[in-house]
Amino acid sequence: MKWLRWTPDRNGIVGVILALCFIVCIFAVVVIYLPDFQQRKASAGFGPDWDCVAQARGDPVCIKKPGR
């Protein structure tokens, strides 16, 4: 198991820390700007006779379509 023997120098430690910070920042940006990526396209489960609109904050607002 030679690949487990990592003796890092200062540059290696700094590189790993910067890479981890970069990954965490990318994850934070994705979570902040795309929090409900799948919810916007999904219906609330009421069926085709309901018109649901996703809100920026909170639950979707659903109104029954007239004539049905």
PDB file of all heavy atoms in Angstrom, residues 20-61:
ATOM      1  N   LEU A  20      -9.718  21.866  -1.192  1.00  0.00           N
ATOM      2  CA  LEU A  20     -10.909  21.642  -0.357  1.00  0.00           C
ATOM      3  C   LEU A  20     -11.745  22.909  -0.218  1.00  0.00           C
ATOM      4  O   LEU A  20     -12.981  22.854  -0.262  1.00  0.00           O
ATOM      5  CB  LEU A  20     -10.499  21.119   1.016  1.00  0.00           C
ATOM      6  CG  LEU A  20      -9.990  19.684   1.055  1.00  0.00           C
ATOM      7  CD1 LEU A  20      -9.500  19.333   2.451  1.00  0.00           C
ATOM      8  CD2 LEU A  20     -11.067  18.719   0.612  1.00  0.00           C
ATOM      9  N   CYS A  21     -11.095  24.058  -0.069  1.00  0.00           N
ATOM     10  CA  CYS A  21     -11.834  25.331  -0.004  1.00  0.00           C
ATOM     11  C   CYS A  21     -12.579  25.592  -1.302  1.00  0.00           C
ATOM     12  O   CYS A  21     -13.731  26.056  -1.292  1.00  0.00           O
ATOM     13  CB  CYS A  21     -10.885  26.479   0.307  1.00  0.00           C
ATOM     14  SG  CYS A  21     -10.286  26.489   1.993  1.00  0.00           S
ATOM     15  N   PHE A  22     -11.946  25.302  -2.422  1.00  0.00           N
ATOM     16  CA  PHE A  22     -12.583  25.498  -3.714  1.00  0.00           C
ATOM     17  C   PHE A  22     -13.811  24.602  -3.853  1.00  0.00           C
ATOM     18  O   PHE A  22     -14.875  25.056  -4.302  1.00  0.00           O
ATOM     19  CB  PHE A  22     -11.576  25.209  -4.835  1.00  0.00           C
ATOM     20  CG  PHE A  22     -12.130  25.365  -6.210  1.00  0.00           C
ATOM     21  CD1 PHE A  22     -12.375  26.620  -6.729  1.00  0.00           C
ATOM     22  CD2 PHE A  22     -12.427  24.254  -6.989  1.00  0.00           C
ATOM     23  CE1 PHE A  22     -12.898  26.766  -8.004  1.00  0.00           C
ATOM     24  CE2 PHE A  22     -12.942  24.391  -8.251  1.00  0.00           C
ATOM     25  CZ  PHE A  22     -13.178  25.650  -8.765  1.00  0.00           C
ATOM     26  N   ILE A  23     -13.705  23.344  -3.457  1.00  0.00           N
ATOM     27  CA  ILE A  23     -14.839  22.412  -3.550  1.00  0.00           C
ATOM     28  C   ILE A  23     -15.976  22.860  -2.646  1.00  0.00           C
ATOM     29  O   ILE A  23     -17.147  22.836  -3.044  1.00  0.00           O
ATOM     30  CB  ILE A  23     -14.363  20.985  -3.208  1.00  0.00           C
ATOM     31  CG1 ILE A  23     -13.453  20.461  -4.309  1.00  0.00           C
ATOM     32  CG2 ILE A  23     -15.545  20.040  -2.998  1.00  0.00           C
ATOM     33  CD1 ILE A  23     -12.746  19.168  -3.977  1.00  0.00           C
ATOM     34  N   VAL A  24     -15.659  23.305  -1.440  1.00  0.00           N
ATOM     35  CA  VAL A  24     -16.697  23.779  -0.514  1.00  0.00           C
ATOM     36  C   VAL A  24     -17.372  25.032  -1.062  1.00  0.00           C
ATOM     37  O   VAL A  24     -18.597  25.178  -0.966  1.00  0.00           O
ATOM     38  CB  VAL A  24     -16.097  24.021   0.887  1.00  0.00           C
ATOM     39  CG1 VAL A  24     -17.064  24.773   1.784  1.00  0.00           C
ATOM     40  CG2 VAL A  24     -15.700  22.705   1.527  1.00  0.00           C
ATOM     41  N   CYS A  25     -16.609  25.930  -1.651  1.00  0.00           N
ATOM     42  CA  CYS A  25     -17.194  27.153  -2.227  1.00  0.00           C
ATOM     43  C   CYS A  25     -18.111  26.836  -3.400  1.00  0.00           C
ATOM     44  O   CYS A  25     -19.192  27.422  -3.517  1.00  0.00           O
ATOM     45  CB  CYS A  25     -16.091  28.111  -2.660  1.00  0.00           C
ATOM     46  SG  CYS A  25     -15.240  28.874  -1.282  1.00  0.00           S
ATOM     47  N   ILE A  26     -17.712  25.934  -4.266  1.00  0.00           N
ATOM     48  CA  ILE A  26     -18.566  25.542  -5.389  1.00  0.00           C
ATOM     49  C   ILE A  26     -19.860  24.913  -4.875  1.00  0.00           C
ATOM     50  O   ILE A  26     -20.955  25.225  -5.357  1.00  0.00           O
ATOM     51  CB  ILE A  26     -17.818  24.573  -6.335  1.00  0.00           C
ATOM     52  CG1 ILE A  26     -16.654  25.282  -7.003  1.00  0.00           C
ATOM     53  CG2 ILE A  26     -18.748  23.955  -7.360  1.00  0.00           C
ATOM     54  CD1 ILE A  26     -17.059  26.422  -7.918  1.00  0.00           C
ATOM     55  N   PHE A  27     -19.764  24.050  -3.874  1.00  0.00           N
ATOM     56  CA  PHE A  27     -20.952  23.434  -3.286  1.00  0.00           C
ATOM     57  C   PHE A  27     -21.866  24.495  -2.672  1.00  0.00           C
ATOM     58  O   PHE A  27     -23.083  24.447  -2.847  1.00  0.00           O
ATOM     59  CB  PHE A  27     -20.540  22.409  -2.220  1.00  0.00           C
ATOM     60  CG  PHE A  27     -21.696  21.747  -1.549  1.00  0.00           C
ATOM     61  CD1 PHE A  27     -22.427  20.783  -2.211  1.00  0.00           C
ATOM     62  CD2 PHE A  27     -22.054  22.095  -0.258  1.00  0.00           C
ATOM     63  CE1 PHE A  27     -23.512  20.171  -1.600  1.00  0.00           C
ATOM     64  CE2 PHE A  27     -23.119  21.502   0.360  1.00  0.00           C
ATOM     65  CZ  PHE A  27     -23.859  20.533  -0.304  1.00  0.00           C
ATOM     66  N   ALA A  28     -21.295  25.482  -1.973  1.00  0.00           N
ATOM     67  CA  ALA A  28     -22.100  26.540  -1.365  1.00  0.00           C
ATOM     68  C   ALA A  28     -22.818  27.369  -2.424  1.00  0.00           C
ATOM     69  O   ALA A  28     -23.997  27.713  -2.262  1.00  0.00           O
ATOM     70  CB  ALA A  28     -21.216  27.430  -0.498  1.00  0.00           C
ATOM     71  N   VAL A  29     -22.138  27.691  -3.514  1.00  0.00           N
ATOM     72  CA  VAL A  29     -22.773  28.468  -4.588  1.00  0.00           C
ATOM     73  C   VAL A  29     -23.936  27.686  -5.198  1.00  0.00           C
ATOM     74  O   VAL A  29     -25.014  28.238  -5.442  1.00  0.00           O
ATOM     75  CB  VAL A  29     -21.736  28.848  -5.662  1.00  0.00           C
ATOM     76  CG1 VAL A  29     -22.400  29.363  -6.924  1.00  0.00           C
ATOM     77  CG2 VAL A  29     -20.775  29.882  -5.110  1.00  0.00           C
ATOM     78  N   VAL A  30     -23.752  26.409  -5.425  1.00  0.00           N
ATOM     79  CA  VAL A  30     -24.821  25.585  -6.003  1.00  0.00           C
ATOM     80  C   VAL A  30     -26.007  25.502  -5.050  1.00  0.00           C
ATOM     81  O   VAL A  30     -27.159  25.639  -5.462  1.00  0.00           O
ATOM     82  CB  VAL A  30     -24.291  24.173  -6.351  1.00  0.00           C
ATOM     83  CG1 VAL A  30     -25.420  23.222  -6.673  1.00  0.00           C
ATOM     84  CG2 VAL A  30     -23.327  24.257  -7.520  1.00  0.00           C
ATOM     85  N   VAL A  31     -25.761  25.317  -3.774  1.00  0.00           N
ATOM     86  CA  VAL A  31     -26.849  25.199  -2.799  1.00  0.00           C
ATOM     87  C   VAL A  31     -27.584  26.527  -2.634  1.00  0.00           C
ATOM     88  O   VAL A  31     -28.806  26.551  -2.486  1.00  0.00           O
ATOM     89  CB  VAL A  31     -26.300  24.697  -1.444  1.00  0.00           C
ATOM     90  CG1 VAL A  31     -27.320  24.822  -0.342  1.00  0.00           C
ATOM     91  CG2 VAL A  31     -25.842  23.262  -1.570  1.00  0.00           C
ATOM     92  N   ILE A  32     -26.870  27.648  -2.702  1.00  0.00           N
ATOM     93  CA  ILE A  32     -27.511  28.950  -2.511  1.00  0.00           C
ATOM     94  C   ILE A  32     -28.329  29.352  -3.736  1.00  0.00           C
ATOM     95  O   ILE A  32     -29.463  29.823  -3.614  1.00  0.00           O
ATOM     96  CB  ILE A  32     -26.456  30.021  -2.189  1.00  0.00           C
ATOM     97  CG1 ILE A  32     -25.904  29.782  -0.784  1.00  0.00           C
ATOM     98  CG2 ILE A  32     -27.033  31.429  -2.297  1.00  0.00           C
ATOM     99  CD1 ILE A  32     -24.701  30.634  -0.439  1.00  0.00           C
ATOM    100  N   TYR A  33     -27.790  29.166  -4.926  1.00  0.00           N
ATOM    101  CA  TYR A  33     -28.462  29.659  -6.124  1.00  0.00           C
ATOM    102  C   TYR A  33     -29.412  28.654  -6.761  1.00  0.00           C
ATOM    103  O   TYR A  33     -30.269  29.036  -7.537  1.00  0.00           O
ATOM    104  CB  TYR A  33     -27.436  30.127  -7.151  1.00  0.00           C
ATOM    105  CG  TYR A  33     -26.780  31.420  -6.738  1.00  0.00           C
ATOM    106  CD1 TYR A  33     -25.461  31.446  -6.324  1.00  0.00           C
ATOM    107  CD2 TYR A  33     -27.501  32.602  -6.726  1.00  0.00           C
ATOM    108  CE1 TYR A  33     -24.874  32.622  -5.924  1.00  0.00           C
ATOM    109  CE2 TYR A  33     -26.919  33.786  -6.330  1.00  0.00           C
ATOM    110  CZ  TYR A  33     -25.613  33.801  -5.928  1.00  0.00           C
ATOM    111  OH  TYR A  33     -25.024  34.968  -5.525  1.00  0.00           O
ATOM    112  N   LEU A  34     -29.285  27.381  -6.460  1.00  0.00           N
ATOM    113  CA  LEU A  34     -30.190  26.372  -7.021  1.00  0.00           C
ATOM    114  C   LEU A  34     -30.767  25.489  -5.907  1.00  0.00           C
ATOM    115  O   LEU A  34     -30.628  24.273  -5.949  1.00  0.00           O
ATOM    116  CB  LEU A  34     -29.438  25.490  -8.027  1.00  0.00           C
ATOM    117  CG  LEU A  34     -28.796  26.212  -9.205  1.00  0.00           C
ATOM    118  CD1 LEU A  34     -27.927  25.251  -9.992  1.00  0.00           C
ATOM    119  CD2 LEU A  34     -29.846  26.819 -10.088  1.00  0.00           C
ATOM    120  N   PRO A  35     -31.430  26.077  -4.905  1.00  0.00           N
ATOM    121  CA  PRO A  35     -31.880  25.255  -3.784  1.00  0.00           C
ATOM    122  C   PRO A  35     -33.042  24.330  -4.123  1.00  0.00           C
ATOM    123  O   PRO A  35     -33.139  23.247  -3.576  1.00  0.00           O
ATOM    124  CB  PRO A  35     -32.293  26.280  -2.733  1.00  0.00           C
ATOM    125  CG  PRO A  35     -32.682  27.470  -3.517  1.00  0.00           C
ATOM    126  CD  PRO A  35     -31.760  27.476  -4.709  1.00  0.00           C
ATOM    127  N   ASP A  36     -33.931  24.766  -4.999  1.00  0.00           N
ATOM    128  CA  ASP A  36     -35.102  23.948  -5.319  1.00  0.00           C
ATOM    129  C   ASP A  36     -35.178  23.699  -6.821  1.00  0.00           C
ATOM    130  O   ASP A  36     -36.183  23.909  -7.459  1.00  0.00           O
ATOM    131  CB  ASP A  36     -36.379  24.598  -4.816  1.00  0.00           C
ATOM    132  CG  ASP A  36     -36.548  26.018  -5.331  1.00  0.00           C
ATOM    133  OD1 ASP A  36     -35.600  26.562  -5.922  1.00  0.00           O
ATOM    134  OD2 ASP A  36     -37.634  26.571  -5.145  1.00  0.00           O
ATOM    135  N   PHE A  37     -34.071  23.209  -7.366  1.00  0.00           N
ATOM    136  CA  PHE A  37     -33.960  23.004  -8.809  1.00  0.00           C
ATOM    137  C   PHE A  37     -35.028  22.046  -9.323  1.00  0.00           C
ATOM    138  O   PHE A  37     -35.660  22.291 -10.337  1.00  0.00           O
ATOM    139  CB  PHE A  37     -32.569  22.476  -9.136  1.00  0.00           C
ATOM    140  CG  PHE A  37     -32.329  22.268 -10.597  1.00  0.00           C
ATOM    141  CD1 PHE A  37     -32.220  23.338 -11.446  1.00  0.00           C
ATOM    142  CD2 PHE A  37     -32.223  20.983 -11.122  1.00  0.00           C
ATOM    143  CE1 PHE A  37     -32.002  23.152 -12.796  1.00  0.00           C
ATOM    144  CE2 PHE A  37     -31.996  20.797 -12.460  1.00  0.00           C
ATOM    145  CZ  PHE A  37     -31.889  21.878 -13.296  1.00  0.00           C
ATOM    146  N   GLN A  38     -35.274  20.943  -8.629  1.00  0.00           N
ATOM    147  CA  GLN A  38     -36.253  19.967  -9.077  1.00  0.00           C
ATOM    148  C   GLN A  38     -37.668  20.351  -8.686  1.00  0.00           C
ATOM    149  O   GLN A  38     -38.614  19.965  -9.350  1.00  0.00           O
ATOM    150  CB  GLN A  38     -35.917  18.594  -8.522  1.00  0.00           C
ATOM    151  CG  GLN A  38     -34.666  18.008  -9.109  1.00  0.00           C
ATOM    152  CD  GLN A  38     -34.329  16.656  -8.518  1.00  0.00           C
ATOM    153  OE1 GLN A  38     -34.833  16.297  -7.463  1.00  0.00           O
ATOM    154  NE2 GLN A  38     -33.495  15.913  -9.189  1.00  0.00           N
ATOM    155  N   GLN A  39     -37.859  21.108  -7.622  1.00  0.00           N
ATOM    156  CA  GLN A  39     -39.196  21.451  -7.164  1.00  0.00           C
ATOM    157  C   GLN A  39     -39.928  22.360  -8.126  1.00  0.00           C
ATOM    158  O   GLN A  39     -41.139  22.294  -8.219  1.00  0.00           O
ATOM    159  CB  GLN A  39     -39.121  22.152  -5.812  1.00  0.00           C
ATOM    160  CG  GLN A  39     -39.226  21.227  -4.651  1.00  0.00           C
ATOM    161  CD  GLN A  39     -39.290  21.988  -3.347  1.00  0.00           C
ATOM    162  OE1 GLN A  39     -38.945  23.159  -3.294  1.00  0.00           O
ATOM    163  NE2 GLN A  39     -39.721  21.329  -2.318  1.00  0.00           N
ATOM    164  N   ARG A  40     -39.234  23.212  -8.813  1.00  0.00           N
ATOM    165  CA  ARG A  40     -39.911  24.164  -9.696  1.00  0.00           C
ATOM    166  C   ARG A  40     -40.625  23.476 -10.848  1.00  0.00           C
ATOM    167  O   ARG A  40     -41.628  23.963 -11.338  1.00  0.00           O
ATOM    168  CB  ARG A  40     -38.907  25.163 -10.247  1.00  0.00           C
ATOM    169  CG  ARG A  40     -38.362  26.066  -9.188  1.00  0.00           C
ATOM    170  CD  ARG A  40     -37.431  27.076  -9.762  1.00  0.00           C
ATOM    171  NE  ARG A  40     -36.834  27.820  -8.658  1.00  0.00           N
ATOM    172  CZ  ARG A  40     -36.121  28.895  -8.813  1.00  0.00           C
ATOM    173  NH1 ARG A  40     -35.888  29.354 -10.004  1.00  0.00           N
ATOM    174  NH2 ARG A  40     -35.613  29.511  -7.781  1.00  0.00           N
ATOM    175  N   LYS A  41     -40.115  22.346 -11.278  1.00  0.00           N
ATOM    176  CA  LYS A  41     -40.707  21.658 -12.415  1.00  0.00           C
ATOM    177  C   LYS A  41     -41.706  20.586 -11.995  1.00  0.00           C
ATOM    178  O   LYS A  41     -42.400  20.034 -12.828  1.00  0.00           O
ATOM    179  CB  LYS A  41     -39.601  21.038 -13.262  1.00  0.00           C
ATOM    180  CG  LYS A  41     -38.707  22.088 -13.878  1.00  0.00           C
ATOM    181  CD  LYS A  41     -37.647  21.493 -14.731  1.00  0.00           C
ATOM    182  CE  LYS A  41     -36.814  22.617 -15.310  1.00  0.00           C
ATOM    183  NZ  LYS A  41     -35.693  22.183 -16.051  1.00  0.00           N
ATOM    184  N   ALA A  42     -41.772  20.293 -10.721  1.00  0.00           N
ATOM    185  CA  ALA A  42     -42.657  19.232 -10.254  1.00  0.00           C
ATOM    186  C   ALA A  42     -44.009  19.811  -9.863  1.00  0.00           C
ATOM    187  O   ALA A  42     -44.105  20.898  -9.311  1.00  0.00           O
ATOM    188  CB  ALA A  42     -42.029  18.525  -9.054  1.00  0.00           C
ATOM    189  N   SER A  43     -45.066  19.076 -10.163  1.00  0.00           N
ATOM    190  CA  SER A  43     -46.381  19.489  -9.689  1.00  0.00           C
ATOM    191  C   SER A  43     -46.505  19.107  -8.225  1.00  0.00           C
ATOM    192  O   SER A  43     -45.797  18.256  -7.721  1.00  0.00           O
ATOM    193  CB  SER A  43     -47.475  18.811 -10.508  1.00  0.00           C
ATOM    194  OG  SER A  43     -47.466  17.421 -10.255  1.00  0.00           O
ATOM    195  N   ALA A  44     -47.432  19.740  -7.542  1.00  0.00           N
ATOM    196  CA  ALA A  44     -47.577  19.488  -6.112  1.00  0.00           C
ATOM    197  C   ALA A  44     -48.353  18.207  -5.844  1.00  0.00           C
ATOM    198  O   ALA A  44     -48.633  17.886  -4.710  1.00  0.00           O
ATOM    199  CB  ALA A  44     -48.267  20.675  -5.449  1.00  0.00           C
ATOM    200  N   GLY A  45     -48.742  17.479  -6.868  1.00  0.00           N
ATOM    201  CA  GLY A  45     -49.419  16.214  -6.679  1.00  0.00           C
ATOM    202  C   GLY A  45     -50.921  16.316  -6.633  1.00  0.00           C
ATOM    203  O   GLY A  45     -51.608  15.366  -6.265  1.00  0.00           O
ATOM    204  N   PHE A  46     -51.491  17.466  -6.990  1.00  0.00           N
ATOM    205  CA  PHE A  46     -52.934  17.615  -6.952  1.00  0.00           C
ATOM    206  C   PHE A  46     -53.607  17.056  -8.202  1.00  0.00           C
ATOM    207  O   PHE A  46     -54.753  16.687  -8.160  1.00  0.00           O
ATOM    208  CB  PHE A  46     -53.313  19.089  -6.787  1.00  0.00           C
ATOM    209  CG  PHE A  46     -53.052  19.615  -5.409  1.00  0.00           C
ATOM    210  CD1 PHE A  46     -51.942  20.387  -5.143  1.00  0.00           C
ATOM    211  CD2 PHE A  46     -53.911  19.327  -4.372  1.00  0.00           C
ATOM    212  CE1 PHE A  46     -51.694  20.865  -3.883  1.00  0.00           C
ATOM    213  CE2 PHE A  46     -53.681  19.795  -3.098  1.00  0.00           C
ATOM    214  CZ  PHE A  46     -52.563  20.571  -2.859  1.00  0.00           C
ATOM    215  N   GLY A  47     -52.930  17.039  -9.311  1.00  0.00           N
ATOM    216  CA  GLY A  47     -53.504  16.516 -10.540  1.00  0.00           C
ATOM    217  C   GLY A  47     -53.613  17.580 -11.610  1.00  0.00           C
ATOM    218  O   GLY A  47     -53.265  18.742 -11.401  1.00  0.00           O
ATOM    219  N   PRO A  48     -54.139  17.196 -12.794  1.00  0.00           N
ATOM    220  CA  PRO A  48     -54.173  18.135 -13.917  1.00  0.00           C
ATOM    221  C   PRO A  48     -55.217  19.240 -13.777  1.00  0.00           C
ATOM    222  O   PRO A  48     -55.168  20.232 -14.484  1.00  0.00           O
ATOM    223  CB  PRO A  48     -54.491  17.243 -15.121  1.00  0.00           C
ATOM    224  CG  PRO A  48     -55.177  16.062 -14.536  1.00  0.00           C
ATOM    225  CD  PRO A  48     -54.597  15.862 -13.173  1.00  0.00           C
ATOM    226  N   ASP A  49     -56.193  19.081 -12.876  1.00  0.00           N
ATOM    227  CA  ASP A  49     -57.225  20.105 -12.737  1.00  0.00           C
ATOM    228  C   ASP A  49     -56.829  21.192 -11.730  1.00  0.00           C
ATOM    229  O   ASP A  49     -57.642  22.043 -11.377  1.00  0.00           O
ATOM    230  CB  ASP A  49     -58.558  19.481 -12.352  1.00  0.00           C
ATOM    231  CG  ASP A  49     -58.486  18.656 -11.084  1.00  0.00           C
ATOM    232  OD1 ASP A  49     -57.388  18.184 -10.754  1.00  0.00           O
ATOM    233  OD2 ASP A  49     -59.533  18.488 -10.436  1.00  0.00           O
ATOM    234  N   TRP A  50     -55.589  21.191 -11.296  1.00  0.00           N
ATOM    235  CA  TRP A  50     -55.083  22.211 -10.390  1.00  0.00           C
ATOM    236  C   TRP A  50     -53.947  22.963 -11.072  1.00  0.00           C
ATOM    237  O   TRP A  50     -53.159  22.400 -11.811  1.00  0.00           O
ATOM    238  CB  TRP A  50     -54.553  21.583  -9.104  1.00  0.00           C
ATOM    239  CG  TRP A  50     -55.632  21.102  -8.190  1.00  0.00           C
ATOM    240  CD1 TRP A  50     -56.266  19.909  -8.255  1.00  0.00           C
ATOM    241  CD2 TRP A  50     -56.200  21.801  -7.095  1.00  0.00           C
ATOM    242  NE1 TRP A  50     -57.194  19.810  -7.264  1.00  0.00           N
ATOM    243  CE2 TRP A  50     -57.173  20.962  -6.529  1.00  0.00           C
ATOM    244  CE3 TRP A  50     -55.991  23.043  -6.532  1.00  0.00           C
ATOM    245  CZ2 TRP A  50     -57.927  21.346  -5.431  1.00  0.00           C
ATOM    246  CZ3 TRP A  50     -56.736  23.417  -5.435  1.00  0.00           C
ATOM    247  CH2 TRP A  50     -57.697  22.574  -4.903  1.00  0.00           C
ATOM    248  N   ASP A  51     -53.875  24.261 -10.826  1.00  0.00           N
ATOM    249  CA  ASP A  51     -52.799  25.100 -11.356  1.00  0.00           C
ATOM    250  C   ASP A  51     -51.925  25.536 -10.185  1.00  0.00           C
ATOM    251  O   ASP A  51     -52.354  26.328  -9.351  1.00  0.00           O
ATOM    252  CB  ASP A  51     -53.394  26.312 -12.073  1.00  0.00           C
ATOM    253  CG  ASP A  51     -52.358  27.119 -12.798  1.00  0.00           C
ATOM    254  OD1 ASP A  51     -51.289  26.558 -13.110  1.00  0.00           O
ATOM    255  OD2 ASP A  51     -52.609  28.312 -13.052  1.00  0.00           O
ATOM    256  N   CYS A  52     -50.697  25.009 -10.114  1.00  0.00           N
ATOM    257  CA  CYS A  52     -49.794  25.301  -9.000  1.00  0.00           C
ATOM    258  C   CYS A  52     -48.662  26.199  -9.474  1.00  0.00           C
ATOM    259  O   CYS A  52     -48.093  25.991 -10.536  1.00  0.00           O
ATOM    260  CB  CYS A  52     -49.219  24.013  -8.426  1.00  0.00           C
ATOM    261  SG  CYS A  52     -50.478  22.949  -7.699  1.00  0.00           S
ATOM    262  N   VAL A  53     -48.353  27.187  -8.663  1.00  0.00           N
ATOM    263  CA  VAL A  53     -47.278  28.132  -8.959  1.00  0.00           C
ATOM    264  C   VAL A  53     -46.298  28.110  -7.793  1.00  0.00           C
ATOM    265  O   VAL A  53     -46.692  28.305  -6.646  1.00  0.00           O
ATOM    266  CB  VAL A  53     -47.841  29.556  -9.155  1.00  0.00           C
ATOM    267  CG1 VAL A  53     -46.722  30.538  -9.406  1.00  0.00           C
ATOM    268  CG2 VAL A  53     -48.854  29.583 -10.267  1.00  0.00           C
ATOM    269  N   ALA A  54     -45.022  27.862  -8.099  1.00  0.00           N
ATOM    270  CA  ALA A  54     -43.995  27.845  -7.061  1.00  0.00           C
ATOM    271  C   ALA A  54     -43.696  29.264  -6.612  1.00  0.00           C
ATOM    272  O   ALA A  54     -43.639  30.190  -7.421  1.00  0.00           O
ATOM    273  CB  ALA A  54     -42.742  27.174  -7.587  1.00  0.00           C
ATOM    274  N   GLN A  55     -43.517  29.446  -5.320  1.00  0.00           N
ATOM    275  CA  GLN A  55     -43.188  30.743  -4.747  1.00  0.00           C
ATOM    276  C   GLN A  55     -41.690  30.792  -4.446  1.00  0.00           C
ATOM    277  O   GLN A  55     -41.049  29.763  -4.282  1.00  0.00           O
ATOM    278  CB  GLN A  55     -43.984  30.963  -3.452  1.00  0.00           C
ATOM    279  CG  GLN A  55     -45.481  30.934  -3.660  1.00  0.00           C
ATOM    280  CD  GLN A  55     -45.963  32.032  -4.581  1.00  0.00           C
ATOM    281  OE1 GLN A  55     -45.552  33.173  -4.464  1.00  0.00           O
ATOM    282  NE2 GLN A  55     -46.826  31.692  -5.507  1.00  0.00           N
ATOM    283  N   ALA A  56     -41.156  31.986  -4.380  1.00  0.00           N
ATOM    284  CA  ALA A  56     -39.736  32.134  -4.074  1.00  0.00           C
ATOM    285  C   ALA A  56     -39.421  31.608  -2.678  1.00  0.00           C
ATOM    286  O   ALA A  56     -38.409  30.969  -2.448  1.00  0.00           O
ATOM    287  CB  ALA A  56     -39.321  33.593  -4.181  1.00  0.00           C
ATOM    288  N   ARG A  57     -40.304  31.870  -1.748  1.00  0.00           N
ATOM    289  CA  ARG A  57     -40.137  31.366  -0.380  1.00  0.00           C
ATOM    290  C   ARG A  57     -41.463  30.765   0.056  1.00  0.00           C
ATOM    291  O   ARG A  57     -42.513  31.348  -0.130  1.00  0.00           O
ATOM    292  CB  ARG A  57     -39.758  32.487   0.577  1.00  0.00           C
ATOM    293  CG  ARG A  57     -38.412  33.060   0.287  1.00  0.00           C
ATOM    294  CD  ARG A  57     -38.091  34.171   1.242  1.00  0.00           C
ATOM    295  NE  ARG A  57     -36.814  34.764   0.872  1.00  0.00           N
ATOM    296  CZ  ARG A  57     -35.791  34.824   1.681  1.00  0.00           C
ATOM    297  NH1 ARG A  57     -35.871  34.337   2.886  1.00  0.00           N
ATOM    298  NH2 ARG A  57     -34.664  35.369   1.285  1.00  0.00           N
ATOM    299  N   GLY A  58     -41.397  29.599   0.618  1.00  0.00           N
ATOM    300  CA  GLY A  58     -42.601  28.955   1.118  1.00  0.00           C
ATOM    301  C   GLY A  58     -43.124  27.897   0.172  1.00  0.00           C
ATOM    302  O   GLY A  58     -42.489  27.516  -0.807  1.00  0.00           O
ATOM    303  N   ASP A  59     -44.304  27.416   0.484  1.00  0.00           N
ATOM    304  CA  ASP A  59     -44.929  26.357  -0.294  1.00  0.00           C
ATOM    305  C   ASP A  59     -45.560  26.902  -1.571  1.00  0.00           C
ATOM    306  O   ASP A  59     -45.871  28.092  -1.663  1.00  0.00           O
ATOM    307  CB  ASP A  59     -46.007  25.666   0.548  1.00  0.00           C
ATOM    308  CG  ASP A  59     -45.423  24.931   1.741  1.00  0.00           C
ATOM    309  OD1 ASP A  59     -44.268  24.487   1.629  1.00  0.00           O
ATOM    310  OD2 ASP A  59     -46.116  24.811   2.760  1.00  0.00           O
ATOM    311  N   PRO A  60     -45.783  26.037  -2.568  1.00  0.00           N
ATOM    312  CA  PRO A  60     -46.450  26.498  -3.791  1.00  0.00           C
ATOM    313  C   PRO A  60     -47.913  26.835  -3.525  1.00  0.00           C
ATOM    314  O   PRO A  60     -48.531  26.294  -2.610  1.00  0.00           O
ATOM    315  CB  PRO A  60     -46.322  25.313  -4.737  1.00  0.00           C
ATOM    316  CG  PRO A  60     -46.027  24.147  -3.892  1.00  0.00           C
ATOM    317  CD  PRO A  60     -45.369  24.641  -2.659  1.00  0.00           C
ATOM    318  N   VAL A  61     -48.448  27.748  -4.324  1.00  0.00           N
ATOM    319  CA  VAL A  61     -49.851  28.145  -4.227  1.00  0.00           C
ATOM    320  C   VAL A  61     -50.598  27.418  -5.339  1.00  0.00           C
ATOM    321  O   VAL A  61     -50.246  27.523  -6.508  1.00  0.00           O
ATOM    322  CB  VAL A  61     -50.004  29.672  -4.376  1.00  0.00           C
ATOM    323  CG1 VAL A  61     -51.463  30.065  -4.397  1.00  0.00           C
ATOM    324  CG2 VAL A  61     -49.264  30.380  -3.260  1.00  0.00           C
TER     325      VAL A  61
END
